[in-house]
Amino acid sequence: SALTQPASVSGSPGQSITVSCTGISSGDGSYNLVSWYQQHPGKAPKLLIYVGSRRPSGVSNRFSGSESGNTASLTISGLQAEDEADYYCCSYVDNSGWVFGGGTKLTVL
Amino acid sequence: EVQLVESGGGLVKPGGSLRLSCAASGFIFNTYSMNWVRQAPGGGPEWVSSINSNSVYIYYADSVKGRFIISRDNAKNTVYLQLNSLRAEDTAIYYCARSASSMDVWGKGTTVTVSS
């Protein structure tokens, strides 16, 4: 995958965690429109963050996104048991299509 | 309610073909690009193909280029994916998703199994 994520992260209820996604800057600006998805087992991915830091209506403000240089980050604050899921970053590549990160499994301890 | 419903999945032998459909409702279909994304068992999502609102711009992942064909019928609010020359590694859940600045609406998926 052209986007690199840690395989797993963990945190206790109430804590904050951050998932990184490296590789969003190709140097020529062709990678853009970074988004983040949450996926529970047996379910379709759900959009959490788009255009790097925007939240769709209905998504909890405990989820936030940011970008710095070659890395995008998803932060989940006030961890809850229901946040245990897989998380994927995604970027659009001009004149090519979408590319996903390899995914990060979040365990809530 | 904005909704995407995929259909057409099934069991097919290697080398076979299948046509997936995705019926859209609840939004103005002909103003959105549409995508197919697949997820192999135990794996993450893999983008497969995109088609823009008027079918002028079409893109494919290298893994399916020359074998899969995306199309849409705006009169029927439906996007299609023709899967040809299927391989075992094409076994996956196939999702359709609409996109603007992100893939914001997804269907529940249809399962394709390629096995002899």
Side-chain angles (χ1 to χ4, degrees), chain B residues 34-100:
Chain B
M34 297 297 296
N35 308 268
W36 287 95
V37 176
R38 69 183 181 183
Q39 190 165 22
E46 177 194 15
W47 169 80
V48 171
S49 182
S50 295
I51 185 168
N52 80 321
S53 58
N54 60 6
S55 305
V56 169
Y57 297 102
I58 289 175
Y59 303 107
Y60 297 98
D62 287 344
S63 57
V64 306
K65 203 172 291 184
R67 299 187 300 123
F68 292 7
I69 301 171
I70 192 171
S71 62
R72 64 189 293 163
D73 185 335
N74 286 344
K76 295 183 177 178
N77 288 355
T78 302
V79 60
Y80 305 96
L81 188 67
Q82 177 70 38
L83 287 62
N84 300 320
S85 303
L86 282 162
R87 307 166 180 166
E89 55 264 36
D90 296 318
T91 293
I93 299 172
Y94 284 73
Y95 298 100
C96 72
R98 84 173 187 184
S99 64

Side-chain angles (χ1 to χ4, degrees), chain A residues 37 39 44 47 88 95-96 98, chain B residues 35 39 45 47 59 102-103 107:
Chain A
Y37 299 86
Q39 188 177 33
L47 179 66
Y88 297 93
N95 301 316
S96 181
W98 300 87
Chain B
N35 308 268
Q39 190 165 22
W47 169 80
Y59 303 107
S102 65
M103 289 184 279

